[in-house]
């Protein structure tokens, strides 16, 4: 079974099995918007102190192809229009506690393109982070971008670029709110990721992922904890905007797709 067919089958099963919230999706739900656009990406590769890129164009191209599959339901695609080399190794270990990220944007950002910067590290303060992106910055034409850590974060089967593109199209993490979102969904519009068809996710940054998900047992959620109402958490461990293993990641929800499409469609100016 080829990759596209396998993904399509997996995607349909994912939506039907996992993305039905406690109030059940309305069977009369409107079709998702079709953005009908392929976005151009400028891939900036930062060299290390020895002048080595430590990543290949083929690796980046393959990761972007995976994102194309994930965004296909709203008719969004991505293509790399240009690879650029940044020879200043200072930025290969990008420290977000300084002005380095702002400097990168000023020096290298290409207007009206999605700018992706590939670096070695983000500093000791964020050892678990594979990337970051400006929230909703698909509407920002003159600045911002997406930063991706090289190495394991872009290895085959990972979903880093898809996750960061989700942020770029204005999606929050499913676990936002520090366990304020209730399992019954009664406050889903005001806490968590502000999206109601993603169940309350109790994950806390810095925790061991293995305490939440048994990856070897079919990505089974194993955390035995309850929300303030005494209801058991049952998040979607396969959601691209969670922090659960990439091997479990397989989809966005209807409302996530709706938000991403409308973020772009409602922007006053558009990317090329």
């Amino acid at each position: 079974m080829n990759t596209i067919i396998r993904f399509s089958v997996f995607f349909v099963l994912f939506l039907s099995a996992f993305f039905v919230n406690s109030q059940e999706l309305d069977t009369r739900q409107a079709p998702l918007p079709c953005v009908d656009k392929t976005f151009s990406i400028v891939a900036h590769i930062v060299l290390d102190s020895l002048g080595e890129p430590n990543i290949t164009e083929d690796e980046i191209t393959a990761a972007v192809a995976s994102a194309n599959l994930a965004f296909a339901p709203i008719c969004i695609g991505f293509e790399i229009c240009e690879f650029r080399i940044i020879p200043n190794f200072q930025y290969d270990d990008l420290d977000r506690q300084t002005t380095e990220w702002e400097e990168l944007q000023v020096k290298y950002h290409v207007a009206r393109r999605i700018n992706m910067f590939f670096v070695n590290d983000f500093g000791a303060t964020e050892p678990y982070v594979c990337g970051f992106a400006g929230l909703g910055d698909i509407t920002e034409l003159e600045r911002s971008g997406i930063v991706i850590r090289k190495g394991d974060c872009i290895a085959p089967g990972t979903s880093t670029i898809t996750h960061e593109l989700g942020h770029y199209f204005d999606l929050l993490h499913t676990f936002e709110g520090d366990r304020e979102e209730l399992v019954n969904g009664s406050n889903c519009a005001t806490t968590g990721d502000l999206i109601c068809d993603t169940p309350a996710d109790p994950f806390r940054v810095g925790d061991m992922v293995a305490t939440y998900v048994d990856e070897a047992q079919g990505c089974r959620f194993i955390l035995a904890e309850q929300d303030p109402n005494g209801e058991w958490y049952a998040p979607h461990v396969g959601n691209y905007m969670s922090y659960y293993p990439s091997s479990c990641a397989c989809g966005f929800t209807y409302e996530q797709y709706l938000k991403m499409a409308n973020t772009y469609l409602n922007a006053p100016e558009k990317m090329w």
Side-chain angles (χ1 to χ4, degrees):
M1 185 181 294
N2 66 39
T3 301
I4 293 176
I5 294 174
R6 183 167 62 250
F7 176 85
S8 298
V9 172
F10 197 14
F11 179 76
V12 170
L13 291 174
F14 181 67
L15 286 181
S16 61
F18 294 106
F19 287 157
V20 178
N21 66 11
S22 59
Q23 299 175 347
E24 295 192 4
L25 293 177
D26 189 339
T27 57
R28 297 166 297 177
Q29 206 168 50
L32 286 167
C34 179
V35 174
D36 192 24
K37 182 171 179 61
T38 298
F39 292 89
S40 294
I41 294 172
V42 177
H44 304 267
I45 301 172
V46 184
L47 302 182
D48 68 12
S49 60
L50 300 177
E52 296 295 332
N54 301 308
I55 193 171
T56 68
E57 293 182 5
D58 285 346
E59 287 176 312
I60 297 172
T61 300
V64 170
S66 295
N68 281 335
L69 293 173
F71 280 78
I74 48 176
C75 313
I76 284 178
F78 306 97
E79 64 180 4
I80 300 172
C81 64
E82 186 178 2
F83 288 95
R84 292 191 174 191
I85 295 296
I86 297 178
N88 189 342
F89 66 85
Q90 168 189 345
Y91 299 122
D92 199 34
D93 289 318
L94 189 66
D95 188 349
R96 286 205 286 169
Q97 306 304 313
T98 68
T99 61
E100 289 182 351
W101 172 222
E102 295 299 325
E103 291 172 13
L104 266 183
Q105 295 173 70
V106 171
K107 292 179 179 180
Y108 301 106
H109 184 275
V110 180
R112 295 180 179 268
R113 297 284 193 269
I114 296 177
N115 289 253
M116 285 190 184
F117 297 86
F118 295 87
V119 303
N120 174 65
D121 208 351
F122 304 135
T125 59
E126 299 176 292
Y128 49 81
V129 175
C130 271
F132 63 87
L135 186 65
D137 276 359
I138 190 62
T139 64
E140 294 289 347
L141 308 182
E142 305 294 335
R143 65 170 185 83
S144 194
I146 297 171
V147 182
I148 304 292
R149 190 197 299 267
K150 304 170 190 174
D152 291 344
C153 288
I154 198 171
T158 58
S159 57
T160 301
I161 285 182
T162 300
H163 177 100
E164 298 307 331
L165 281 167
H167 288 315
Y168 207 63
F169 281 81
D170 207 28
L171 294 185
L172 296 168
H173 293 121
T174 55
F175 54 81
E176 299 287 350
D178 195 22
R179 299 192 180 182
E180 294 174 355
E181 185 176 1
L182 299 173
V183 170
N184 65 17
S186 59
N187 63 348
C188 62
T190 57
T191 191
D193 62 357
L194 311 180
I195 291 179
C196 287
D197 66 351
T198 57
D201 185 345
F203 184 80
R204 284 176 169 151
V205 173
D207 286 355
M208 295 291 293
V209 173
T211 64
Y212 290 84
V213 173
D214 188 337
E215 190 175 357
Q217 296 295 320
C219 295
R220 186 167 58 92
F221 185 73
I222 57 175
L223 184 75
E225 292 195 23
Q226 299 169 312
D227 75 357
N229 289 338
E231 296 188 64
W232 298 100
Y233 288 107
H236 297 154
V237 300
N239 196 293
Y240 282 124
M241 301 313 295
S242 75
Y243 260 20
Y244 300 121
S246 282
S247 62
C248 303
C250 55
F252 294 112
T253 68
Y254 174 90
E255 290 184 25
Q256 284 177 317
Y257 276 124
L258 193 63
K259 183 173 184 178
M260 288 192 291
N262 286 332
T263 294
Y264 177 74
L265 292 172
N266 294 332
E269 292 187 81
K270 303 292 191 289
M271 287 272 184
W272 289 349

